[in-house]
Amino acid sequence: MSAIEVDNLQRAFSEEVLAVAGVDLEVAEGEIYAFLGPNGAGKTTTVRMLTTLLRPTGGTARVAGHDVVTEAPAVRSAIGVALQEAALDPLMTGVELIRMQATLHGLDRAEGRRRSNALLERVGLTQASKRRVGTYSGGMKRRLDLASALVHEPRVLFLDEPTTGLDPVSRKSIWEEVVKLNDEGTTVFLTTQYLEEADQLADRVGIISAGLIVAEGTPTSLKAEVGKPRLELVLAEGEPDDCFEVLERFGQRLPGKDGKLVIEVESGAAAIAPVVIALDEAEIAVESLELVEPTLDDVFVEKTGQHLEGAADEAPTPEPAGEPQPDPA
Amino acid sequence: MGGAGSVALTADLQTIGAMMRRSANELIRVPGAAIPGVLAPTIFFLGLTAAFGSLIELRGFDVSSYQSFLIPVSMLQGAGFTGAAAGVNLARDIEIGLFDRFLASPAPRWVLIAGVVLSASVRSLIPASVLLVVALIVGADFPGLGGLLLAFFLVMWMAIVAACWGVTLALRFKTQAAAPLMQAVMLALILCTTAYAPQELLTGWLYTVAEINPITQVVEAARQGFTGTITWAGTWPALVALLGFTVVLGGFALRGMRRTAY
Amino acid sequence: MNTVRVVVALGRRSVLQTFRRPQLLAPLIVFPTLLLAIQTGGAGAAVNLPGFPPVDSFLSFMLAGAMIQSTLLAGNAAGIALAVDIEMGFTDRLLAAPIPRWSIVVGRLAGAAALGTFSAVWFLAIGLIFGVEIAEGIPGVLLMIAVTTLSALAFGTLGAAIALRSGSASVVQGMFPLVFVILFLSSAFFPQELLQEPAKTIAQFNPASFIVDAVRDPVISAFSSEDLWKGLAGIALVGFVGSVLSAGALKRRLRTG
C-alpha cells in the first residue's frame, strides 16, 4: 500500500489563481520523497492539503490509506507534521509543548510522559526542555518541532522546509535525524528549496513549479536526464594536435567555449586521474581542469527555463560552459 | 465500542484541560496580563456611577444606589471583554501557525473550540470579582449568596457566548486586527439593554432595541440579587437567551472551524 | 522659508497617515458615536431631573461631550503615531536634519487638528440628522468647529509629551483608559452640578469641563462669552502644559541620546 497517493490534486484560491494545478504522485511506504521548488511553486499548499489543513478544490489524495477529505481524523492520527516556521508558543516550556501534543493525540498521561522524555533525549533537548520556548535558538525550535511531530509514532512524517534558515551544523543534525527515522520505517515527505537537501536525503524527488510537477525521479536519474558529467580543460599551449586524440579516448568531445576543451565523462570523478595521466604521458601540459556535474538546478533550468531560487544559497557549483546536451540515447 | 468511546472522551477532556492550562499560562507567566481586562470595566463602572448616579432620583428607579443597579452590567461587560480577548488569542495562535498544530491532530473540532471557550469562562471570574469588590466599597448592596452565585453563573455563561463570537471572527479573519470588531459588538450587545436605566425610562431607539435584545433578560436576571429578590420568572428568560446565543454563535464557530480547516 | 515647507510637509504626512488607515480611524470616530447613541438612549430620561439645564434633548447636551471625547482620543492617537516614529528611528532622522526641533512636534499635531475638525463636522452632522437644533446657528457651528480643532491641538501636545518622554508606543497606548477617566470627571456626559462626589468637585476645576461647556454652549443656549473664554483658557492651559512637557522631554531625549 502506498503511504501517499495523490491524483490530480488542485487548489484554486480564486478564479485566476491556481496554486496547485493538478499534481499526481505516489510515495511508497518507507520512502523519503522530496518536493523541490522555488517559493510560490505550490509546495506548502500541497503539504497543507495532504495534512488536512486545507481542502482541495479538485482531485483526491490518500495518506496512510485514508482519504484526506472524507477520513480526515484517521489521516491525522497517522501523520506527524512539522511545518514552516516552527510554530511554538513562546510562553510554554519545551516539555509542556511536547506533552500537550501527546494529549492532543489521545495518549494517556503516563505513556505521553514516557514518549516525550524519550524524544526530548533523542533530539538533545532534555536540559533545555524545562525552559520556555521563547528562549530557544532557531535550531532548538526545529528540533522540538520535530520531536513533537513524532510523539505519537506516526507512519508518515511531513516536513515543510525543515532546515530553512538554519546554520549548517543544525541542518546536518536534522538530516541525520531524518535518515534515522526513515531507517526505522517512517515514510518522510519533505519540501525544500535547497538542492543539496533533496540530493542528499531523498529516495525520489519531485520538482514542482507553478503548481505542477515538471520532473520526478531519483536524484541520479534526474541529473542523468540532463547530461553526464564533463571535464572542462584549459591546456597550457592552446590546442596541440594530439590532444584531441588523447581526450577522445575517455569520452565524447563537446563544444567548448572560451578556449576550454570539454569532454563528456560518464564515470565522473573517476575519470580525472586517467585523463591527467594520459595527458602527462603525451607531454601535454594542463593549465586548469574542472569536473562539472549536472545538478538538480540544471534539471530545473531544463524543464522551466529558470533557476531554482535556493541555488544561490548552495556551495557554488560551476556553471556549465555550454548548453546542456540532451542524452544521446 | 463503549470502551473505545470512553477512552476517546477521556482524551477529549484531557485535551480541553491542557488547553485551559495553557490559557492560564498567560496570566501566570506574563506579569500584568490580567490588568487590561479588569481595568476597562472598572473605570467604566466608577465613571458611569459618578456621571449618571443622580438618575436614580427619577421616578421609575426602584433602587437604593446606582452602583447596585449598574454593577451586574459591568460584570457582564468584563465577561464580554474576556471572551473577545480569547478570540484575539486564537487569532494570534492562527497568525503564528500554532493553531495548525492543533488542527493537524486528531482532536475533534468541538474539543478545540471548547478549550478556548471554557478558558474564557473561567477567566471571566477575575474581572467579575474585582468589580464586585470595588462596587461593594463604593456603596453597592451585597446581593446575598444566591444573588452572588447567580450573577457569577450568568457572567461565566456570557463569557462563553462572547468567546464563541471571538472564535468565529478569529477563524474568519485570521488576524488580531479583528479585535475591535470582537470587542465592539459585545459592548454594544450588553449596553443596548436596560444597562443604564429601567425599560420605562429608556428613550428613543434604545427603548425598542432593549425590548427586543435577549441580553436585556440576562442583565435583569443578574441584577436581581442586587436590587431585589430572585425569582424563577426573572431568571429563566436569561437562561433561554444565553442558550440561544450559545447555540447560534457556537454553531457559527464550529462551522467556521470546519470551513477553514475541516 | 524652509521651515514652513518642512512643517507643512510633516503636517501633510501626519494628516495622510491619520486618514489613510480606516482601522485606526474607526475607534476614534465609531466608538464615540456608538457610545453617544447608547448613552443618549439609556440616560435620556435625565433631562427630567430637577436641576438639569434646559435642553431640547439629551442628545443636544451630549453632543459636545462626544466631540471632546474624539479630540482626546485624537491627542492620544497623535502621541502613539509620534512614539511609533521614535521607535522606528524616523524622528532621529528628522533631528539630524537642519530644521528647528519644534517643527517635529508641530508637524505631528497637524494630524490631530485635522482629526479634531473632522470629528466636529461628523458629530454636528449626526446631531442635525437626529434633530438637534443649534441655538446659535451658523456662527455657533463655526465656533464649535474652531474650539474642537483647537482642543485637539492642545490634547495633541499632551500626547506628544508622553511619546517623547517614554519613546514607547505601548506606553502611550496604555494612556487610553486615562481619556475616559478625564471625561467621566468632567461635564462631558452629565451636568457638573448633578455629578456624584468626588467627581462633582473635580469636574469643577477640570479644564476638560470648560472646553466641553464652550462647545456645548452654542447648541443649547445663547452665546455666553464667559463660557467661551473659560473654554479657551482651558485649551490654553492644556496646550501650555503639554508644550512645556514636550519641550522638556525633547531636550532630555536629545541630551541622553
Side-chain angles (χ1 to χ4, degrees), chain A residues 92-156:
Chain A
M92 291 173 87
T93 65
V95 67
E96 281 171 351
L97 209 117
I98 190 170
R99 288 212 193 139
M100 177 156 199
Q101 195 75 23
T103 309
L104 284 168
H105 279 277
L107 299 175
D108 71 66
R109 223 164 263 154
E111 181 68 8
R113 193 170 303 151
R114 192 184 61 77
R115 291 202 202 165
S116 300
N117 293 338
L119 284 164
L120 285 169
E121 187 164 336
R122 180 166 177 167
V123 295
L125 284 175
T126 311
Q127 272 293 72
S129 66
K130 306 228 174 28
R131 288 193 347 238
R132 291 192 206 170
V133 168
T135 65
Y136 287 9
S137 69
M140 290 165 78
K141 287 185 186 164
R142 289 299 170 93
R143 281 186 277 152
L144 181 65
D145 207 9
L146 189 60
S148 308
L150 299 168
V151 76
H152 58 291
E153 293 173 359
R155 288 169 31 212
V156 184

Side-chain angles (χ1 to χ4, degrees), chain B residues 126-258:
Chain B
I126 299 176
S129 308
V130 171
L131 276 165
L132 183 67
V133 168
V134 168
L136 292 173
I137 293 174
V138 296
D141 294 328
F142 186 72
L145 190 61
L148 197 65
L149 290 174
L150 178 62
F152 277 126
F153 175 73
L154 293 171
V155 161
M156 287 177 78
W157 201 340
M158 188 72 217
I160 291 179
V161 166
C164 285
W165 171 244
V167 166
T168 306
L169 289 185
L171 291 169
R172 172 75 179 77
F173 295 109
K174 301 187 169 64
T175 165
Q176 290 179 80
L181 191 59
M182 295 176 194
Q183 289 156 354
V185 170
M186 281 298 125
L187 188 76
L189 201 61
I190 293 169
L191 290 184
C192 291
T193 61
T194 53
Y196 288 78
Q199 181 70 41
E200 320 83 60
L201 291 178
L202 296 177
T203 65
W205 64 278
L206 194 59
Y207 184 90
T208 322
V209 171
E211 243 187 346
I212 309 174
N213 185 355
I215 302 298
T216 302
Q217 307 305 319
V218 181
V219 170
E220 290 298 320
R223 196 172 263 161
Q224 289 180 101
F226 292 94
T227 61
T229 50
I230 306 172
T231 64
W232 178 241
T235 311
W236 71 258
L239 302 178
V240 171
L242 287 169
L243 187 63
F245 269 98
T246 310
V247 166
V248 171
L249 291 179
F252 284 164
L254 201 57
R255 197 177 62 145
M257 184 97 54
R258 292 230 174 89

Side-chain angles (χ1 to χ4, degrees), chain C residues 14-242:
Chain C
S14 154
V15 172
L16 284 175
Q17 271 184 339
T18 310
F19 288 100
R20 255 191 198 148
R21 280 182 291 177
Q23 73 261 35
L24 294 181
L25 193 60
L28 299 178
I29 299 289
V30 172
F31 190 64
T33 309
L34 189 68
L35 217 56
L36 178 67
I38 292 175
Q39 285 182 184
T40 314
V47 295
N48 298 320
L49 281 171
F52 203 91
V55 294
D56 292 334
S57 64
F58 196 51
L59 179 60
S60 315
F61 182 85
M62 275 275 285
L63 208 58
M67 286 158 81
I68 299 305
Q69 180 181 12
S70 269
T71 61
L72 271 164
L73 292 174
N76 185 248
I80 293 175
L82 183 59
V84 169
D85 275 352
I86 294 175
E87 278 179 346
M88 269 191 342
F90 183 73
T91 313
D92 283 338
R93 267 203 285 155
L94 291 177
L95 287 171
I99 56 175
R101 305 288 188 230
W102 51 261
S103 61
I104 299 172
V105 178
V106 170
R108 176 54 58 193
L109 292 181
L115 202 55
T117 313
F118 180 76
S119 79
V121 172
W122 169 273
F123 283 108
L124 279 167
I126 290 197
L128 290 171
I129 293 174
F130 287 94
V132 170
E133 277 181 30
I134 314 286
E136 275 299 318
I138 306 268
V141 166
L142 293 172
L143 193 64
M144 290 169 76
I145 296 179
V147 174
T148 309
T149 307
L150 287 173
S151 75
L153 272 171
F155 293 129
T157 64
L158 282 181
I162 301 173
L164 287 165
R165 186 68 170 74
S166 69
S168 152
S170 40
V171 167
V172 186
Q173 180 104 18
M175 296 284 140
F176 187 79
L178 205 63
V179 166
F180 289 97
V181 172
I182 294 174
L183 287 168
F184 282 125
L185 294 175
S186 75
S187 57
F189 299 139
F190 224 64
Q192 183 265 328
E193 311 82 47
L194 295 175
L195 294 174
Q196 310 293 303
E197 293 289 6
K200 188 168 170 184
T201 314
I202 297 177
Q204 235 184 337
F205 303 106
N206 187 350
S209 296
F210 302 146
I211 302 173
V212 171
D213 288 336
V215 176
R216 175 173 291 146
D217 211 42
V219 181
I220 64 177
S221 64
F223 177 74
S224 150
S225 59
E226 184 192 335
D227 279 342
L228 179 61
W229 283 121
K230 277 208 218 151
L232 290 175
I235 290 176
L237 178 65
V238 172
F240 177 71
V241 170

Side-chain angles (χ1 to χ4, degrees), chain B residues 13-226:
Chain B
L13 292 176
Q14 279 183 343
T15 304
I16 295 178
M19 290 180 79
M20 290 177 76
R21 263 196 308 280
R22 178 174 165 249
S23 164
N25 270 350
E26 198 199 356
L27 289 176
I28 302 172
R29 295 181 182 178
V30 179
I35 292 182
V38 171
L39 196 63
T42 309
I43 288 182
F44 258 78
F45 174 72
L46 291 173
L48 286 173
T49 50
F52 297 132
S54 41
L55 279 174
I56 58 170
E57 292 167 30
L58 290 169
R59 218 163 42 107
F61 260 96
D62 206 6
V63 295
S64 53
S65 71
Y66 198 56
Q67 283 81 347
S68 306
F69 189 79
L70 197 63
I71 183 61
V73 175
S74 296
M75 288 168 79
L76 287 169
Q77 255 190 307
F81 191 88
T82 307
V88 175
N89 282 349
L90 178 63
R92 186 193 55 208
D93 283 349
I94 293 176
E95 270 178 351
I96 67 177
L98 182 62
F99 202 60
D100 281 342
R101 187 181 283 282
F102 300 157
L103 289 173
S105 79
R109 311 291 92 159
W110 71 264
V111 166
L112 296 177
I113 296 180
V116 171
V117 159
L118 288 176
S119 306
S121 186
V122 171
R123 267 168 90 149
S124 71
L125 290 175
I126 299 176
S129 308
V130 171
L131 276 165
L132 183 67
V133 168
V134 168
L136 292 173
I137 293 174
V138 296
D141 294 328
F142 186 72
L145 190 61
L148 197 65
L149 290 174
L150 178 62
F152 277 126
F153 175 73
L154 293 171
V155 161
M156 287 177 78
W157 201 340
M158 188 72 217
I160 291 179
V161 166
C164 285
W165 171 244
V167 166
T168 306
L169 289 185
L171 291 169
R172 172 75 179 77
F173 295 109
K174 301 187 169 64
T175 165
Q176 290 179 80
L181 191 59
M182 295 176 194
Q183 289 156 354
V185 170
M186 281 298 125
L187 188 76
L189 201 61
I190 293 169
L191 290 184
C192 291
T193 61
T194 53
Y196 288 78
Q199 181 70 41
E200 320 83 60
L201 291 178
L202 296 177
T203 65
W205 64 278
L206 194 59
Y207 184 90
T208 322
V209 171
E211 243 187 346
I212 309 174
N213 185 355
I215 302 298
T216 302
Q217 307 305 319
V218 181
V219 170
E220 290 298 320
R223 196 172 263 161
Q224 289 180 101
F226 292 94

